[in-house]
Amino acid sequence: MDSAGARDACVIIGGGLAGLTAALSLAPKPAILLSKAPLGLEAASTLAQGGIAASLGPGDDLELHLADTLKAGDGLCDEEVARAILGSAPAAIEDLIKRGVAFDRDTKGALALGLEAAHSRRRILHAGGDSSGREIMRALTRLVRQTPSITVLEGATAEQLLIDGNCVTGVFAASNRGPMLFETACVVIATGGIGGLFQYSTNPAGSFGQGLALAAKAGALLADLEFIQFHPTALDGASFPLKLVSESVRGEGAILANETGERFMADVPGGELAPRDIVARAVWQQMAAGHRVFLDARNILGLDFPRRFPAIAGFCQAEGIDPVTQPIPVRPAVHYHMGGIAVDLAGRSSVEGLWACGEAACTGLHGANRLASNSLLEAAVCGQFVAESIKGTTRSVRRKGVRCDTNTTPSSDPVPVQKILSHAAGVLRNREILQAAAAELLPVALGRGKARDPALVGLMIVIAALRRQESRGAHTRTDFPCPAAHAERSFLRLDAAIAAARAIALETAA
Ligand SMILES: Cc1cc2nc3c(=O)[nH]c(=O)nc-3n(C[C@H](O)[C@H](O)[C@H](O)COP(=O)(O)OP(=O)(O)OC[C@H]3O[C@@H](n4cnc5c(N)ncnc54)[C@H](O)[C@@H]3O)c2cc1C
């Protein structure tokens, strides 16, 4: 095994927007960036279409953006955190522009602002039309490669954190150059989302919560795991990940209808632009009743679809659908995880020396449901916050008693978990199916097979979903259909999840 540690370097796991921002903001402090795939590939950041939210337009301000965020979060946002992150949006946009991101502009040269679901103002900055993430990642990847303080290791997958007491002392990674061990007192997890744990998802297949497993196994506290946002309008085609037909298409006026032409969102407040969980449930219920669902953008006055949405037009064409003349078949798919590694505003987890940012982290910004386009913003802002926090910290590696399970499985396979989790933790949940999933996942999570880490994360999600005996935001329990009078954020450690699952398994067997 190589000991690849530059001991004063910070190790950043994941090269999406959050990881790249953290690395750039840390400079000139040295950082080693581990990325499973070549930078830009296999990152949800690259797939983002709609854009990034910031209250920059006329008639808009922080209070309005905050109000929309809190409303979407359905009573569980941390208001102080939300105010700090949303208030940092203008500076984050400025930084992205300085780093070379070319946001779209109107004919007068001002930043063009789009509208998305549940935003009360036009505040979505986009780039390359609907290729916002690609453009942001293009600029940042280029800059990262030119920054001497950043060592990029592509093809390196973090498998385990080294822990001494409650302190991080290193990272063990599998790589195409063989196993690698990094001694470091400072690790940032920026591994993105969990969609790859499910059968239908818009996330890259490699996004299956490896960072959550790393943190959970190190004893870190995880938060709000039960809150998973389903995008209501993924293209119901043959590709995986499912292609996303962005909210912006509905923002421009596209309508949802089933195969009989019934516009089933017509009487729902907000219509097609109601919060995502409401739209996802409506589409799910249509499909459960045997209907097919379509997004119809054919009759939008003045919309040049291929010009405004070139990427969407392209992948629709690849599936044989022309959105100018045909309705687009859609279905709900796992899109975003509000939960993650519990962190404070500086990105610090409950384990000393372990920070997290981006989708893998849970700051409390999103509460029970994410407001569209707040996640790229959170990745950009919190990547910066994490770097500032690390710069203000002096930690050194303690050598004694380092715990490293080098029998760790060389690669993870989420496939055995996908069916169980999709059935139990989908758009609609109940006690019976969640308990059955916990009993089924437990032996996999305790085993030594390749599905162990995905099963650990799946198990924690299922236990969190069981414990929340109410329906709120993106979490819908058919056996508890109403929101509780009083609700709080949820926090969970791996040992508590395993103990709960053992009790369920015993109860089920009895
Ligand atoms: C199709 C789609 C469209 C979206 N559109 C928008 C939008 O318009 N606006 C918006 O705000 N949000 C959008 N989102 C959500 C947003 O893109 C993500 O929340 C955000 O980009 C997450 O950034 P990240 O840096 O945390 O993770 P990612 O960009 O997913 O990057 C994580 C990286 O970590 C790597 N990684 C994972 N595990 C390991 C490991 N063990 N070792 C090494 N590397 C690892 C992955 O390969 C990946 O490269 C969209 C998401 C999707 C899927």
Side-chain angles (χ1 to χ4, degrees):
M1 185 189 303
D2 273 357
S3 182
R7 284 178 54 194
D8 56 342
C10 176
V11 175
I12 299 172
I13 307 171
L17 176 57
L20 297 185
T21 304
L24 287 168
S25 308
L26 268 172
K29 190 176 163 56
I32 298 171
L33 187 74
L34 305 183
S35 178
K36 273 204 286 195
L39 283 190
L41 297 183
E42 276 221 352
S45 302
T46 307
L47 300 179
Q49 299 170 350
I52 180 164
S55 53
L56 294 171
D60 198 6
D61 61 24
L62 170 60
E63 294 308 320
L64 289 169
H65 192 178
L66 180 64
D68 292 344
T69 300
L70 298 182
K71 192 170 170 209
D74 206 1
L76 287 191
C77 298
D78 182 322
E79 185 169 341
E80 201 184 318
V81 163
R83 182 178 288 282
I85 294 174
L86 303 178
S88 302
I93 299 299
E94 189 92 342
D95 281 345
L96 286 170
I97 292 171
K98 277 191 204 137
R99 286 172 174 162
V101 177
F103 287 111
D104 294 337
R105 293 180 180 266
D106 63 20
T107 46
K108 293 183 184 137
L111 289 165
L113 298 170
L115 180 68
E116 282 194 341
H119 284 274
S120 57
R121 295 289 185 279
R122 295 186 83 89
R123 62 167 76 99
I124 316 301
L125 287 93
H126 44 89
D130 57 1
S131 300
S132 306
R134 188 167 302 282
E135 165 58 18
I136 292 171
M137 289 293 286
R138 182 200 60 76
L140 266 55
T141 301
R142 191 162 164 219
L143 201 56
V144 159
R145 293 200 192 281
Q146 292 168 351
T147 304
S149 60
I150 306 172
T151 305
V152 179
L153 294 177
E154 287 153 304
T157 302
E159 298 276 351
Q160 183 150 359
L161 298 180
L162 277 57
I163 297 291
D164 178 10
N166 189 43
C167 299
V168 164
T169 57
V171 179
F172 171 78
S175 86
N176 43 24
R177 281 157 272 190
M180 295 176 122
L181 189 60
F182 301 89
E183 283 187 71
T184 176
C186 167
V187 173
V188 180
I189 292 182
T191 50
I194 56 151
L197 293 173
F198 289 76
Q199 285 172 303
Y200 297 105
S201 173
T202 61
N203 293 187
S207 299
F208 53 85
Q210 276 181 300
L212 271 55
L214 292 175
K217 289 189 294 181
L221 200 59
L222 272 54
D224 299 340
L225 292 172
E226 65 275 32
F227 294 112
I228 297 168
Q229 186 174 81
F230 289 77
H231 198 288
T233 55
L235 175 66
D236 194 5
S239 61
F240 189 91
L242 270 63
K243 301 285 192 228
L244 178 72
V245 187
S246 150
E247 225 121 44
S248 316
V249 180
R250 279 175 279 140
E252 295 292 345
I255 58 159
L256 282 164
N258 64 23
E259 80 287 353
T260 69
E262 183 198 351
R263 191 179 161 187
F264 55 87
M265 292 303 292
D267 298 330
V268 178
E272 276 79 3
L273 288 176
R276 277 189 180 166
D277 55 307
I278 294 175
V279 184
R281 275 197 298 275
V283 175
W284 186 272
Q285 275 155 356
Q286 287 287 317
M287 295 186 83
H291 292 294
R292 284 205 78 190
V293 174
F294 297 88
L295 186 64
D296 194 344
R298 287 176 296 180
N299 298 316
I300 305 171
L301 212 61
L303 177 69
D304 180 349
F305 196 103
R307 190 160 167 272
R308 173 68 180 91
F309 303 112
I312 299 174
F315 63 66
C316 283
Q317 297 281 4
E319 297 270 352
I321 299 146
D322 177 4
V324 177
T325 58
Q326 290 172 291
I328 307 165
V330 290
R331 65 168 302 135
V334 171
H335 186 53
Y336 184 80
H337 195 200
M338 276 68 78
I341 302 161
V343 294
D344 63 12
L345 193 52
R348 281 180 299 240
S349 76
S350 63
V351 173
E352 208 187 317
L354 181 63
W355 283 259
C357 53
E359 192 167 339
C362 183
T363 60
L365 167 66
H366 307 294
N369 210 353
R370 174 192 68 135
L371 184 68
S373 290
N374 267 356
S375 41
L376 282 180
L377 177 66
E378 187 188 39
V381 168
C382 295
Q384 169 83 33
F385 286 177
V386 159
E388 281 163 14
S389 169
I390 292 169
K391 280 178 175 171
T393 310
T394 43
R395 292 195 70 241
S396 59
V397 185
R398 285 192 280 161
R399 298 195 66 96
K400 235 175 87 219
V402 172
R403 198 174 76 225
C404 174
D405 174 8
T406 45
N407 283 330
T408 182
T409 41
S411 60
S412 277
D413 178 10
V415 172
V417 168
Q418 288 173 344
K419 205 166 170 193
I420 305 171
L421 216 52
S422 304
H423 180 61
V427 175
L428 302 176
R429 303 151 175 196
N430 67 50
R431 180 171 179 265
E432 200 185 331
I433 53 171
L434 287 166
Q435 284 196 334
E440 212 176 334
L441 287 168
L442 181 65
V444 189
L446 296 177
R448 285 227 153 260
K450 287 185 174 182
R452 180 185 65 170
D453 284 2
L456 284 176
V457 179
L459 186 66
M460 292 183 80
I461 290 170
V462 163
I463 297 298
L466 263 170
R467 287 185 172 179
R468 185 164 295 281
Q469 298 188 344
E470 61 163 346
S471 290
R472 179 178 299 273
H475 171 73
T476 306
R477 289 277 301 256
T478 52
D479 47 350
F480 295 97
C482 298
H486 176 73
E488 291 182 350
R489 295 180 59 204
S490 70
F491 295 91
L492 188 61
R493 280 202 165 84
L494 180 57
D495 51 3
I498 288 175
R502 282 200 167 114
I504 290 165
L506 278 177
E507 194 187 310
T508 320

